[in-house]
Amino acid sequence: MSTVPRPDLGAFIRQQRARHRLSLRRLAELAGVSNPYLSQIERGLRRPSAEILQQLARALQVSAETLYVHAGFLDGERERPDVVEAILADERLQDEQKATLVRVYELFVRQAAEARGAETRVPEVGTDQGARATEPEGADR
């Protein structure tokens, strides 16, 4: 494919490559693509197929869906599953386990938002969904 991808795909791949301390050549080897082709992807000159994105995702240890969003194949907001809903819907978990998982998830979301300097409101979990994510008694909010 030769259409121009969204501008952040190449930058995201480059960022992940740097994070893993991989050279362009080494990532190309791990992903099973040519060095020049990967260079063109990073510079925004080529749009890789879904299969190539899967290979890159494995090599970079990120989800293929993450690369699909950066490539514009998926809408990041609509395609992202609601984690809290998934936890609450899992019938294999007990209510106490669900509540604990939701509390931990919400804590991580808040910490990530604070680290970015953004305020992200985490929706409160209703009691009608099988579990309630509340802070332990006596905990400061």
Side-chain angles (χ1 to χ4, degrees):
M1 301 173 105
S2 62
T3 58
V4 178
R6 287 177 37 175
D8 67 342
L9 174 63
F12 180 77
I13 291 172
R14 190 177 311 107
Q15 177 188 42
Q16 292 300 307
R17 183 170 58 80
R19 189 177 130 238
H20 290 286
R21 295 183 174 93
L22 294 171
S23 67
L24 187 73
R25 181 168 303 211
R26 181 66 182 140
L27 178 56
E29 288 172 7
L30 291 171
V33 299
S34 73
N35 189 37
Y37 183 61
L38 180 55
S39 175
Q40 291 173 347
I41 293 171
E42 282 194 358
R43 291 182 288 138
L45 301 176
R46 297 290 297 244
R47 182 176 184 175
S49 67
E51 182 179 332
I52 297 296
L53 288 174
Q54 286 179 350
Q55 291 169 223
L56 287 167
R58 276 192 296 274
L60 292 169
Q61 299 174 356
V62 298
S63 72
E65 289 79 13
T66 298
L67 289 185
Y68 293 162
V69 169
H70 283 278
F73 291 163
L74 293 177
D75 178 355
E77 294 304 313
R78 286 186 306 165
E79 299 297 331
R80 184 175 299 139
D82 184 47
V83 175
V84 174
E85 285 180 18
I87 291 169
L88 297 177
D90 193 335
E91 296 176 337
R92 298 170 295 180
L93 299 173
Q94 297 172 359
D95 287 349
E96 185 176 296
Q97 293 170 318
K98 291 176 184 182
T100 300
L101 284 171
V102 169
R103 280 193 305 270
V104 170
Y105 172 74
E106 289 176 344
L107 173 65
F108 286 168
V109 169
R110 280 192 298 272
Q111 288 174 342
E114 290 170 5
R116 285 190 314 267
E119 290 189 22
T120 301
R121 184 183 170 278
V122 178
E124 293 295 320
V125 179
T127 57
D128 59 328
Q129 295 182 2
R132 185 171 182 189
T134 59
E135 295 294 325
E137 287 188 32
D140 293 327
R141 286 200 116 189

